[in-house]
Amino acid sequence: MNGKARTHISQNEPLLFELSSPGKRAYQLPPLDVPAADPQAVLGRERVRPEIENFPEVSEVEVLRHFTRLASWNYAIDLGMYPLGSCTMKYNPRINEAVANLEGLLWAHPYQPESLSQGCLEIMAALEAALAEITGMDAVTLQPAAGAHGELTGLFLIRALLASRGNPRKKILVPDSAHGTNPASVTMAGYVVENVPSCERGMMELATLERMVNEDVAALMVTNPNTLGVFEQEITRIAALLHERGALLYMDGANMNALAGIARPGDFGVDVLHLNLHKTFSTPHGGGGPGSGPVAVKRLLEPFLPVPRLVRRQDGWALDYDRPQSIGRMRSFYGNFGVMVRALAYIMAHGGDGLRKATLDALLNAAYVRKRLESYYEPATPAPTLHECVFSDARQARHGVRTGDIAKRLMDYGFHPYTVSFPLIVRGALMIEPTETESKLELDRFVEAMVCIAREVEEDPELVRTAPHHTRVSRVDEALAARRPVVRWRPPCGK
Ligand SMILES: *Cc1c(COP(=O)(O)O)cnc(C)c1O
């Protein structure tokens, strides 16, 4: 401790290795009352290490307190707002967790026979039906484990349909405002990405697409509302144009929090879309936990959906593998079942009217934040925006302060940063999505923090440029951390 007094409330936690002292044990067992076996003899020499280098030796309570103290450092949705744009980080009611933890659901095993899984299959069928209704589509697969996985599944479906018509075609059109996973999924599905430029208001224009859609184009992949939070106003005419020319319309549904209960993609011409259950429909995300990216399709794509398909037979629910046109399996078993349970609990607890109200509150909250910040930060588009708002750092950049600096300063005010430098079409983007779960009180606190920072940028830009100042770790060298990560602990010299 470098000669300083050891304070009991030290906020900085050493590594577990540094708490180690030789001979300490985290357990106590009674003495053996049978002859001791030699582990090497029982398990084989190659499976037993003579010694584990630098293995930390600590007591039980030391281990427990170490990890409890570390856990208290986490920023969490239970602690404060996550204004992280494009992520829909909302608070999810505890009732969804309670339902997912019901014994029969929690301990259900994927190898259980169908006859003993009827309840689980019924839940999946109910969720498929609910998602089909919310999106205005005809059939849903729950298999994909994330949004990007859903994208890949959807693109495979498009390829399979077009191939069955004789030509899978070569290109997928992707607007310049797209999430990075879109072009990546296109490439993985064996297609070539062609970039669609947005107009100044941040939307696609029919005229541009009229020039671009030819026999090589398999589909347009669009996020709607897009990553500027702007609804693509020409979407129905764009869909008609694609269909006329034998192409399909894929929608990235990560932004369904702006539409659920109000507008249905199936009604504005979408042929296939994925949803992120871990964004729009409960399940907290961002903590590395499982996700779920169901794919919803119109009738013409249904024969190609992944196997197995859930079907209703006379004696109950069954899994159908006999689907000759299917693209095959996209994931082992049935997808992330716990996430599905939470989604269905969320949808049923809200009901149709409740989902609509949640969406309207999300839009209202984003409009409120945009209106209150507009005189301090430069809006990215004059067009009206829905569930999120995007600013650029143009006004702050004149003082040498960029979006990343403002985000780091926001941590000093106790907030998780907004999304930094995305979408790429906005230089120095600040992307903010408050979601419906934040109260006006919390939104006001957030806005006040942002306004204070805008003033600091004018009065003392250095303060913002060197932030954060009140966190445990101050600014790290991000380039060095990425290029030369130190991921192994080594004892300090001389120890
Ligand atoms: C989050 C997101 C994705 C990717 O979803 P994952 O579940 O993280 O794979 C794709 N598109 C958009 C617009 C998103 O916000």
Coordinates of all heavy atoms in Angstrom, one line a residue, residues 315-402:
D315 N -52.3 -34.6 -31.4 CA -52.0 -34.9 -30.0 C -51.1 -33.8 -29.3 O -50.5 -34.1 -28.3 CB -51.3 -36.3 -29.8 CG -50.2 -36.5 -30.8 OD1 -50.0 -35.6 -31.7 OD2 -49.4 -37.4 -30.7
G316 N -51.0 -32.7 -30.0 CA -50.2 -31.6 -29.3 C -49.2 -31.0 -30.3 O -49.2 -31.2 -31.5
W317 N -48.2 -30.2 -29.6 CA -47.2 -29.6 -30.4 C -46.1 -30.6 -30.8 O -45.8 -31.5 -30.0 CB -46.6 -28.4 -29.6 CG -47.6 -27.3 -29.4 CD1 -48.3 -27.1 -28.3 CD2 -48.0 -26.4 -30.4 NE1 -49.1 -26.0 -28.5 CE2 -49.0 -25.5 -29.8 CE3 -47.7 -26.1 -31.7 CZ2 -49.6 -24.5 -30.4 CZ3 -48.3 -25.1 -32.4 CH2 -49.3 -24.3 -31.7
A318 N -45.6 -30.4 -32.0 CA -44.5 -31.3 -32.4 C -43.5 -30.5 -33.2 O -43.7 -29.4 -33.6 CB -45.1 -32.4 -33.3
L319 N -42.3 -31.1 -33.4 CA -41.2 -30.5 -34.2 C -41.1 -31.2 -35.5 O -40.9 -32.4 -35.6 CB -39.9 -30.5 -33.4 CG -40.0 -29.7 -32.1 CD1 -38.8 -30.1 -31.2 CD2 -40.0 -28.2 -32.4
D320 N -41.2 -30.4 -36.6 CA -41.2 -31.0 -38.0 C -39.9 -30.8 -38.6 O -39.5 -29.6 -38.8 CB -42.4 -30.3 -38.7 CG -42.5 -30.8 -40.2 OD1 -41.9 -31.9 -40.4 OD2 -43.2 -30.2 -41.0
Y321 N -39.2 -31.9 -39.0 CA -37.9 -31.8 -39.6 C -38.1 -32.1 -41.2 O -37.1 -31.9 -41.9 CB -37.0 -32.8 -39.1 CG -36.5 -32.5 -37.7 CD1 -37.2 -32.8 -36.5 CD2 -35.3 -31.8 -37.5 CE1 -36.8 -32.5 -35.3 CE2 -34.8 -31.5 -36.2 CZ -35.6 -31.8 -35.1 OH -35.1 -31.5 -33.8
D322 N -39.3 -32.4 -41.6 CA -39.5 -32.8 -43.0 C -39.8 -31.6 -43.8 O -41.0 -31.4 -44.1 CB -40.6 -33.9 -43.0 CG -40.7 -34.4 -44.4 OD1 -39.8 -34.3 -45.2 OD2 -41.8 -35.0 -44.7
R323 N -38.8 -30.8 -44.1 CA -39.1 -29.5 -44.8 C -38.0 -29.5 -45.9 O -36.9 -28.9 -45.7 CB -38.9 -28.4 -43.8 CG -39.7 -28.5 -42.5 CD -40.9 -27.8 -42.5 NE -40.7 -26.4 -42.8 CZ -41.7 -25.5 -43.0 NH1 -42.9 -25.9 -42.9 NH2 -41.4 -24.3 -43.3
P324 N -38.3 -30.0 -47.1 CA -37.3 -30.2 -48.1 C -36.6 -28.9 -48.6 O -35.4 -28.9 -49.0 CB -38.0 -30.9 -49.2 CG -39.5 -30.8 -48.9 CD -39.6 -30.6 -47.4
Q325 N -37.3 -27.8 -48.5 CA -36.7 -26.5 -49.0 C -36.0 -25.7 -47.9 O -35.4 -24.7 -48.2 CB -37.8 -25.7 -49.6 CG -38.3 -26.2 -51.0 CD -39.2 -25.3 -51.7 OE1 -40.3 -25.1 -51.2 NE2 -38.7 -24.6 -52.7
S326 N -36.0 -26.2 -46.6 CA -35.4 -25.5 -45.5 C -33.9 -25.2 -45.7 O -33.2 -26.0 -46.3 CB -35.6 -26.3 -44.2 OG -34.8 -25.7 -43.2
I327 N -33.5 -24.0 -45.2 CA -32.1 -23.7 -45.3 C -31.3 -24.5 -44.2 O -30.1 -24.4 -44.2 CB -31.8 -22.2 -45.0 CG1 -32.4 -21.8 -43.6 CG2 -32.4 -21.3 -46.1 CD1 -31.9 -20.4 -43.2
G328 N -32.0 -25.3 -43.4 CA -31.3 -26.2 -42.4 C -31.3 -25.5 -41.1 O -32.1 -24.6 -40.8
R329 N -30.5 -26.0 -40.2 CA -30.4 -25.5 -38.8 C -29.6 -24.2 -38.8 O -28.6 -24.2 -39.5 CB -29.8 -26.5 -38.0 CG -30.7 -27.2 -37.0 CD -29.9 -27.9 -36.0 NE -30.8 -28.8 -35.3 CZ -31.7 -28.4 -34.4 NH1 -31.8 -27.1 -34.1 NH2 -32.5 -29.2 -33.7
M330 N -30.0 -23.3 -38.0 CA -29.1 -22.1 -37.8 C -28.5 -22.1 -36.4 O -27.6 -21.4 -36.1 CB -29.9 -20.8 -38.0 CG -30.3 -20.5 -39.4 SD -28.8 -20.3 -40.5 CE -28.0 -18.8 -39.9
R331 N -29.0 -23.0 -35.5 CA -28.5 -23.1 -34.2 C -28.9 -24.4 -33.6 O -29.9 -25.0 -34.0 CB -29.1 -21.9 -33.3 CG -28.4 -21.7 -32.0 CD -29.1 -20.7 -31.2 NE -28.4 -20.5 -29.9 CZ -28.5 -21.3 -28.9 NH1 -29.3 -22.3 -28.9 NH2 -27.8 -21.0 -27.8
S332 N -28.1 -24.8 -32.6 CA -28.4 -26.1 -31.9 C -29.7 -25.9 -31.1 O -30.1 -24.8 -30.7 CB -27.3 -26.5 -30.9 OG -27.0 -25.4 -30.1
F333 N -30.4 -27.0 -30.9 CA -31.7 -27.0 -30.1 C -32.6 -25.9 -30.7 O -32.8 -25.8 -31.9 CB -31.4 -26.8 -28.6 CG -30.5 -27.8 -28.1 CD1 -29.3 -27.5 -27.5 CD2 -30.9 -29.2 -28.2 CE1 -28.4 -28.5 -27.0 CE2 -30.0 -30.2 -27.7 CZ -28.8 -29.8 -27.1
Y334 N -33.2 -25.1 -29.9 CA -34.4 -24.2 -30.3 C -34.1 -22.7 -30.2 O -35.0 -21.9 -30.4 CB -35.6 -24.6 -29.5 CG -35.8 -26.1 -29.4 CD1 -35.6 -26.7 -28.1 CD2 -36.1 -26.9 -30.5 CE1 -35.7 -28.1 -28.0 CE2 -36.2 -28.3 -30.3 CZ -36.0 -28.8 -29.1 OH -36.0 -30.2 -29.0
G335 N -32.9 -22.3 -29.9 CA -32.6 -20.9 -29.6 C -32.5 -20.7 -28.1 O -32.5 -21.7 -27.4
N336 N -32.4 -19.4 -27.7 CA -32.3 -19.2 -26.3 C -33.7 -19.1 -25.6 O -34.3 -18.0 -25.6 CB -31.5 -17.9 -26.1 CG -30.0 -18.1 -26.3 OD1 -29.5 -19.2 -26.0 ND2 -29.3 -17.2 -27.0
F337 N -34.1 -20.2 -25.1 CA -35.5 -20.3 -24.6 C -35.8 -19.3 -23.5 O -36.9 -18.7 -23.5 CB -35.7 -21.7 -24.1 CG -37.1 -22.0 -23.6 CD1 -38.1 -21.9 -24.4 CD2 -37.3 -22.2 -22.2 CE1 -39.4 -22.1 -24.0 CE2 -38.6 -22.5 -21.8 CZ -39.6 -22.4 -22.6
G338 N -34.9 -19.1 -22.5 CA -35.1 -18.1 -21.4 C -35.5 -16.7 -21.9 O -36.3 -16.0 -21.3
V339 N -34.8 -16.3 -23.0 CA -35.1 -15.0 -23.6 C -36.5 -15.0 -24.1 O -37.2 -14.0 -24.1 CB -34.0 -14.7 -24.6 CG1 -34.2 -13.2 -25.1 CG2 -32.6 -14.8 -24.1
M340 N -36.9 -16.1 -24.7 CA -38.3 -16.2 -25.3 C -39.3 -16.0 -24.2 O -40.3 -15.4 -24.4 CB -38.5 -17.5 -26.1 CG -37.5 -17.7 -27.2 SD -37.6 -19.4 -27.8 CE -36.1 -19.5 -28.6
V341 N -39.1 -16.7 -23.1 CA -40.0 -16.7 -22.0 C -40.2 -15.2 -21.5 O -41.3 -14.7 -21.3 CB -39.6 -17.6 -20.8 CG1 -40.5 -17.4 -19.6 CG2 -39.5 -19.0 -21.3
R342 N -39.1 -14.5 -21.4 CA -39.1 -13.1 -20.9 C -39.9 -12.3 -21.9 O -40.7 -11.4 -21.5 CB -37.7 -12.6 -20.7 CG -37.0 -13.1 -19.5 CD -35.6 -12.6 -19.5 NE -34.8 -13.1 -18.3 CZ -34.3 -14.3 -18.2 NH1 -34.3 -15.1 -19.3 NH2 -33.6 -14.6 -17.1
A343 N -39.6 -12.5 -23.2 CA -40.3 -11.7 -24.2 C -41.8 -11.9 -24.2 O -42.6 -11.0 -24.3 CB -39.8 -12.1 -25.6
L344 N -42.2 -13.2 -24.1 CA -43.7 -13.5 -24.0 C -44.3 -12.8 -22.8 O -45.4 -12.3 -22.8 CB -44.0 -15.0 -24.1 CG -45.5 -15.3 -24.2 CD1 -46.0 -14.7 -25.5 CD2 -45.7 -16.8 -24.2
A345 N -43.6 -13.0 -21.6 CA -44.1 -12.4 -20.4 C -44.3 -10.9 -20.6 O -45.3 -10.3 -20.2 CB -43.2 -12.7 -19.2
Y346 N -43.3 -10.2 -21.2 CA -43.3 -8.8 -21.4 C -44.5 -8.4 -22.3 O -45.3 -7.5 -22.0 CB -42.0 -8.4 -22.1 CG -41.9 -6.9 -22.5 CD1 -41.5 -6.0 -21.5 CD2 -42.2 -6.5 -23.8 CE1 -41.4 -4.6 -21.9 CE2 -42.1 -5.2 -24.1 CZ -41.7 -4.2 -23.2 OH -41.6 -2.9 -23.5
I347 N -44.7 -9.2 -23.4 CA -45.7 -8.8 -24.4 C -47.1 -9.1 -23.7 O -48.0 -8.2 -23.8 CB -45.6 -9.7 -25.6 CG1 -44.4 -9.3 -26.4 CG2 -46.8 -9.6 -26.5 CD1 -43.9 -10.2 -27.5
M348 N -47.3 -10.2 -23.0 CA -48.6 -10.4 -22.4 C -48.9 -9.5 -21.2 O -50.0 -9.1 -21.0 CB -48.6 -11.9 -21.9 CG -48.7 -12.8 -23.1 SD -48.8 -14.6 -22.7 CE -50.5 -14.7 -22.2
A349 N -47.9 -9.1 -20.5 CA -48.1 -8.2 -19.4 C -48.5 -6.8 -19.9 O -49.3 -6.1 -19.3 CB -46.8 -8.0 -18.5
H350 N -48.0 -6.4 -21.1 CA -48.4 -5.1 -21.7 C -49.7 -5.2 -22.4 O -50.5 -4.3 -22.4 CB -47.3 -4.7 -22.7 CG -46.2 -4.0 -22.0 ND1 -45.2 -4.7 -21.4 CD2 -45.8 -2.7 -21.9 CE1 -44.3 -3.8 -20.9 NE2 -44.7 -2.6 -21.2
G351 N -49.9 -6.3 -23.2 CA -51.1 -6.3 -24.1 C -50.9 -5.4 -25.2 O -49.9 -4.6 -25.2
G352 N -51.7 -5.4 -26.2 CA -51.6 -4.6 -27.4 C -51.5 -3.1 -27.0 O -50.7 -2.3 -27.5
D353 N -52.5 -2.7 -26.2 CA -52.6 -1.2 -25.8 C -51.3 -0.8 -25.1 O -50.8 0.3 -25.2 CB -53.8 -1.0 -25.0 CG -55.1 -1.1 -25.8 OD1 -55.0 -1.0 -27.1 OD2 -56.2 -1.2 -25.2
G354 N -50.9 -1.7 -24.2 CA -49.7 -1.4 -23.4 C -48.4 -1.3 -24.2 O -47.6 -0.4 -24.0
L355 N -48.3 -2.1 -25.2 CA -47.1 -2.0 -26.1 C -47.2 -0.7 -26.9 O -46.1 0.0 -27.1 CB -47.1 -3.1 -27.1 CG -46.7 -4.5 -26.6 CD1 -46.8 -5.5 -27.8 CD2 -45.3 -4.5 -26.0
R356 N -48.4 -0.3 -27.3 CA -48.5 0.9 -28.1 C -48.2 2.1 -27.2 O -47.4 3.0 -27.6 CB -50.0 1.0 -28.5 CG -50.3 2.3 -29.3 CD -51.8 2.3 -29.7 NE -52.1 3.6 -30.2 CZ -51.9 4.0 -31.4 NH1 -51.4 3.1 -32.3 NH2 -52.2 5.2 -31.9
K357 N -48.6 2.1 -25.9 CA -48.3 3.2 -25.0 C -46.8 3.2 -24.7 O -46.2 4.3 -24.6 CB -49.1 3.0 -23.7 CG -48.9 4.0 -22.7 CD -50.1 4.4 -22.0 CE -50.0 5.7 -21.2 NZ -48.7 5.9 -20.5
A358 N -46.2 2.1 -24.5 CA -44.7 2.1 -24.3 C -44.0 2.7 -25.5 O -43.1 3.5 -25.3 CB -44.2 0.6 -24.1
T359 N -44.4 2.4 -26.7 CA -43.8 3.0 -27.9 C -44.0 4.5 -27.9 O -43.0 5.3 -28.1 CB -44.4 2.4 -29.1 OG1 -44.2 1.0 -29.1 CG2 -43.7 2.9 -30.4
L360 N -45.2 5.0 -27.6 CA -45.5 6.4 -27.6 C -44.6 7.1 -26.5 O -44.1 8.2 -26.8 CB -47.0 6.7 -27.4 CG -47.9 6.3 -28.5 CD1 -49.4 6.4 -28.2 CD2 -47.6 7.1 -29.8
D361 N -44.5 6.5 -25.4 CA -43.6 7.1 -24.3 C -42.2 7.2 -24.8 O -41.5 8.1 -24.5 CB -43.7 6.3 -23.0 CG -45.1 6.6 -22.3 OD1 -45.8 7.5 -22.7 OD2 -45.4 5.8 -21.4
A362 N -41.7 6.1 -25.5 CA -40.3 6.1 -26.0 C -40.1 7.3 -26.9 O -39.1 8.0 -26.9 CB -40.0 4.8 -26.6
L363 N -41.1 7.5 -27.8 CA -41.0 8.6 -28.8 C -41.0 9.9 -28.1 O -40.3 10.8 -28.4 CB -42.2 8.5 -29.8 CG -42.3 7.2 -30.6 CD1 -43.4 7.3 -31.7 CD2 -41.0 6.7 -31.2
L364 N -41.9 10.1 -27.1 CA -42.1 11.3 -26.4 C -40.8 11.6 -25.7 O -40.3 12.8 -25.7 CB -43.2 11.2 -25.4 CG -43.5 12.4 -24.5 CD1 -43.9 13.6 -25.4 CD2 -44.6 12.1 -23.5
N365 N -40.2 10.7 -25.0 CA -39.0 10.9 -24.2 C -37.8 11.3 -25.2 O -37.1 12.2 -24.8 CB -38.5 9.6 -23.5 CG -39.3 9.5 -22.2 OD1 -40.1 10.3 -21.8 ND2 -39.1 8.4 -21.5
A366 N -37.7 10.7 -26.3 CA -36.7 11.1 -27.3 C -36.9 12.5 -27.8 O -36.0 13.3 -28.0 CB -36.6 10.1 -28.4
A367 N -38.2 12.8 -28.1 CA -38.5 14.1 -28.6 C -38.1 15.2 -27.6 O -37.6 16.3 -27.9 CB -40.0 14.2 -29.0
Y368 N -38.4 14.9 -26.3 CA -38.2 15.8 -25.2 C -36.7 16.1 -25.1 O -36.2 17.2 -25.0 CB -38.7 15.2 -23.9 CG -38.5 16.1 -22.7 CD1 -39.2 17.3 -22.5 CD2 -37.6 15.7 -21.7 CE1 -39.0 18.0 -21.4 CE2 -37.3 16.5 -20.6 CZ -38.1 17.6 -20.4 OH -37.8 18.4 -19.3
V369 N -35.9 15.0 -25.1 CA -34.4 15.2 -25.0 C -33.9 16.0 -26.2 O -33.1 16.9 -26.0 CB -33.7 13.8 -24.9 CG1 -32.2 14.0 -25.1 CG2 -34.0 13.1 -23.6
R370 N -34.4 15.7 -27.4 CA -33.9 16.4 -28.6 C -34.2 17.9 -28.4 O -33.4 18.8 -28.7 CB -34.6 15.8 -29.8 CG -34.2 16.7 -31.1 CD -34.7 16.0 -32.3 NE -34.6 17.0 -33.4 CZ -34.6 16.7 -34.7 NH1 -34.8 15.4 -35.1 NH2 -34.5 17.6 -35.6
K371 N -35.5 18.2 -28.1 CA -35.9 19.6 -28.0 C -35.0 20.4 -27.0 O -34.6 21.5 -27.2 CB -37.4 19.6 -27.5 CG -38.1 20.8 -27.9 CD -38.5 20.9 -29.4 CE -38.5 22.3 -29.9 NZ -38.1 22.4 -31.3
R372 N -34.8 19.7 -25.8 CA -34.1 20.4 -24.7 C -32.6 20.6 -25.0 O -31.9 21.5 -24.5 CB -34.3 19.7 -23.4 CG -35.7 20.0 -22.9 CD -35.7 19.9 -21.4 NE -34.8 20.8 -20.7 CZ -34.4 20.8 -19.4 NH1 -35.0 19.8 -18.7 NH2 -33.6 21.6 -18.9
L373 N -32.0 19.7 -25.9 CA -30.6 19.8 -26.2 C -30.3 20.5 -27.4 O -29.1 20.9 -27.7 CB -30.0 18.4 -26.2 CG -29.9 17.6 -24.9 CD1 -29.2 16.3 -25.0 CD2 -29.1 18.5 -23.8
E374 N -31.3 20.8 -28.2 CA -31.1 21.4 -29.6 C -30.3 22.7 -29.5 O -29.6 23.0 -30.5 CB -32.4 21.6 -30.3 CG -32.7 20.7 -31.4 CD -34.1 20.8 -31.9 OE1 -34.8 21.7 -31.5 OE2 -34.4 20.0 -32.7
S375 N -30.5 23.5 -28.5 CA -29.8 24.8 -28.5 C -28.4 24.7 -28.0 O -27.6 25.7 -28.0 CB -30.6 25.9 -27.7 OG -31.2 25.3 -26.6
Y376 N -28.0 23.5 -27.6 CA -26.6 23.3 -27.1 C -25.8 22.4 -28.1 O -24.6 22.6 -28.2 CB -26.6 22.7 -25.7 CG -27.3 23.5 -24.7 CD1 -28.7 23.3 -24.5 CD2 -26.7 24.5 -24.1 CE1 -29.4 24.1 -23.6 CE2 -27.4 25.3 -23.1 CZ -28.7 25.1 -22.9 OH -29.4 25.9 -22.0
Y377 N -26.4 21.5 -28.7 CA -25.7 20.5 -29.6 C -26.4 20.6 -31.0 O -27.6 20.8 -31.1 CB -25.8 19.1 -29.0 CG -25.0 19.0 -27.7 CD1 -25.7 19.2 -26.5 CD2 -23.7 18.7 -27.7 CE1 -25.0 19.1 -25.3 CE2 -23.0 18.6 -26.4 CZ -23.7 18.8 -25.3 OH -23.0 18.7 -24.0
E378 N -25.7 20.3 -32.0 CA -26.1 20.4 -33.4 C -26.9 19.2 -33.8 O -26.3 18.1 -33.9 CB -24.9 20.6 -34.3 CG -25.2 20.9 -35.7 CD -25.7 22.3 -35.9 OE1 -25.3 23.3 -35.1 OE2 -26.5 22.5 -36.8
P379 N -28.2 19.3 -34.1 CA -29.0 18.1 -34.5 C -28.4 17.6 -35.8 O -28.0 18.4 -36.7 CB -30.4 18.6 -34.7 CG -30.5 19.9 -34.0 CD -29.1 20.5 -34.0
A380 N -28.4 16.2 -36.0 CA -27.8 15.6 -37.2 C -28.8 15.8 -38.4 O -28.3 15.7 -39.5 CB -27.5 14.2 -36.9
T381 N -30.0 16.0 -38.2 CA -31.0 16.1 -39.3 C -32.1 17.0 -38.9 O -32.5 17.0 -37.7 CB -31.6 14.7 -39.7 OG1 -32.7 14.9 -40.6 CG2 -32.1 14.0 -38.5
P382 N -32.6 17.8 -39.9 CA -33.8 18.6 -39.6 C -35.1 17.8 -39.6 O -36.1 18.2 -39.1 CB -33.8 19.6 -40.8 CG -33.1 18.9 -41.9 CD -32.1 18.0 -41.2
A383 N -35.0 16.5 -40.1 CA -36.2 15.7 -40.2 C -36.7 15.3 -38.8 O -35.8 15.2 -37.9 CB -35.9 14.5 -41.0
P384 N -38.0 15.1 -38.7 CA -38.4 14.6 -37.3 C -37.8 13.2 -37.0 O -37.6 12.4 -37.9 CB -39.9 14.5 -37.5 CG -40.2 14.6 -39.0 CD -39.0 15.2 -39.6
T385 N -37.6 13.0 -35.7 CA -37.0 11.7 -35.4 C -37.9 11.0 -34.4 O -38.7 11.6 -33.7 CB -35.6 11.9 -34.7 OG1 -35.6 13.0 -33.8 CG2 -34.5 12.2 -35.8
L386 N -37.7 9.7 -34.3 CA -38.7 8.9 -33.5 C -38.1 8.5 -32.1 O -38.1 9.4 -31.2 CB -39.1 7.6 -34.3 CG -39.9 7.9 -35.6 CD1 -40.2 6.7 -36.3 CD2 -41.2 8.7 -35.3
H387 N -37.5 7.3 -32.0 CA -37.2 6.8 -30.6 C -35.8 7.2 -30.2 O -35.4 6.9 -29.0 CB -37.3 5.3 -30.6 CG -36.3 4.7 -31.5 ND1 -36.2 5.0 -32.8 CD2 -35.3 3.8 -31.2 CE1 -35.2 4.4 -33.4 NE2 -34.6 3.6 -32.4
E388 N -35.0 7.9 -31.0 CA -33.7 8.3 -30.6 C -33.4 9.6 -31.3 O -34.1 10.0 -32.2 CB -32.6 7.3 -30.9 CG -32.6 6.8 -32.3 CD -31.7 5.5 -32.5 OE1 -31.3 4.9 -31.5 OE2 -31.6 5.1 -33.6
C389 N -32.4 10.3 -30.8 CA -32.0 11.6 -31.5 C -30.5 11.6 -31.6 O -29.8 11.1 -30.7 CB -32.5 12.8 -30.7 SG -32.2 12.8 -29.0
V390 N -30.0 12.1 -32.7 CA -28.6 12.1 -33.0 C -28.1 13.6 -33.1 O -28.8 14.4 -33.8 CB -28.3 11.3 -34.3 CG1 -26.8 11.3 -34.5 CG2 -28.8 9.9 -34.1
F391 N -27.0 13.9 -32.5 CA -26.4 15.3 -32.6 C -25.0 15.1 -33.2 O -24.5 14.0 -33.2 CB -26.3 16.0 -31.3 CG -27.7 16.2 -30.6 CD1 -28.2 15.3 -29.7 CD2 -28.4 17.3 -30.9 CE1 -29.4 15.5 -29.1 CE2 -29.6 17.5 -30.3 CZ -30.1 16.6 -29.4
S392 N -24.4 16.2 -33.7 CA -23.0 16.1 -34.0 C -22.3 17.0 -33.1 O -22.9 17.8 -32.4 CB -22.8 16.6 -35.5 OG -22.6 18.0 -35.5
D393 N -21.0 16.8 -33.0 CA -20.2 17.6 -32.0 C -19.6 18.9 -32.7 O -18.7 19.5 -32.2 CB -19.0 16.8 -31.4 CG -18.0 16.3 -32.5 OD1 -18.1 16.8 -33.6 OD2 -17.2 15.5 -32.1
A394 N -20.3 19.3 -33.8 CA -19.7 20.4 -34.6 C -19.5 21.7 -33.7 O -18.4 22.3 -33.9 CB -20.7 20.8 -35.8
R395 N -20.4 22.0 -32.9 CA -20.2 23.3 -32.1 C -19.1 23.1 -31.1 O -18.3 24.0 -30.8 CB -21.5 23.6 -31.3 CG -22.7 23.9 -32.3 CD -23.9 24.3 -31.5 NE -25.1 24.0 -32.4 CZ -26.4 24.1 -32.0 NH1 -26.6 24.4 -30.7 NH2 -27.3 23.8 -32.8
Q396 N -19.0 21.9 -30.5 CA -17.9 21.7 -29.5 C -16.5 21.5 -30.1 O -15.5 21.8 -29.5 CB -18.3 20.4 -28.6 CG -19.5 20.6 -27.7 CD -20.8 20.8 -28.4 OE1 -21.0 20.1 -29.4 NE2 -21.7 21.6 -27.9
A397 N -16.6 21.0 -31.4 CA -15.3 20.7 -32.1 C -14.5 22.0 -32.3 O -13.3 22.0 -32.3 CB -15.5 20.0 -33.4
R398 N -15.3 23.1 -32.4 CA -14.6 24.5 -32.5 C -13.7 24.8 -31.3 O -12.8 25.6 -31.4 CB -15.6 25.6 -32.7 CG -16.1 25.7 -34.1 CD -17.1 26.8 -34.2 NE -18.4 26.3 -34.8 CZ -19.6 26.5 -34.3 NH1 -19.7 27.3 -33.1 NH2 -20.6 26.0 -34.8
H399 N -14.0 24.2 -30.2 CA -13.2 24.4 -29.0 C -12.2 23.2 -28.7 O -11.7 23.0 -27.7 CB -14.1 24.5 -27.7 CG -15.1 25.6 -27.8 ND1 -14.7 26.9 -27.4 CD2 -16.3 25.7 -28.3 CE1 -15.8 27.7 -27.6 NE2 -16.8 27.0 -28.2
G400 N -12.1 22.3 -29.8 CA -11.2 21.2 -29.7 C -11.7 20.1 -28.9 O -11.0 19.2 -28.4
V401 N -13.1 20.0 -28.6 CA -13.7 18.9 -27.8 C -14.5 18.1 -28.8 O -15.3 18.6 -29.5 CB -14.5 19.5 -26.7 CG1 -15.3 18.4 -26.0 CG2 -13.7 20.3 -25.7
R402 N -14.3 16.7 -28.7 CA -15.0 15.8 -29.6 C -16.0 15.0 -28.8 O -16.0 15.0 -27.6 CB -14.0 14.9 -30.4 CG -12.9 15.7 -31.2 CD -13.5 16.7 -32.1 NE -14.6 16.2 -33.0 CZ -14.5 15.7 -34.2 NH1 -13.2 15.6 -34.7 NH2 -15.5 15.2 -34.9

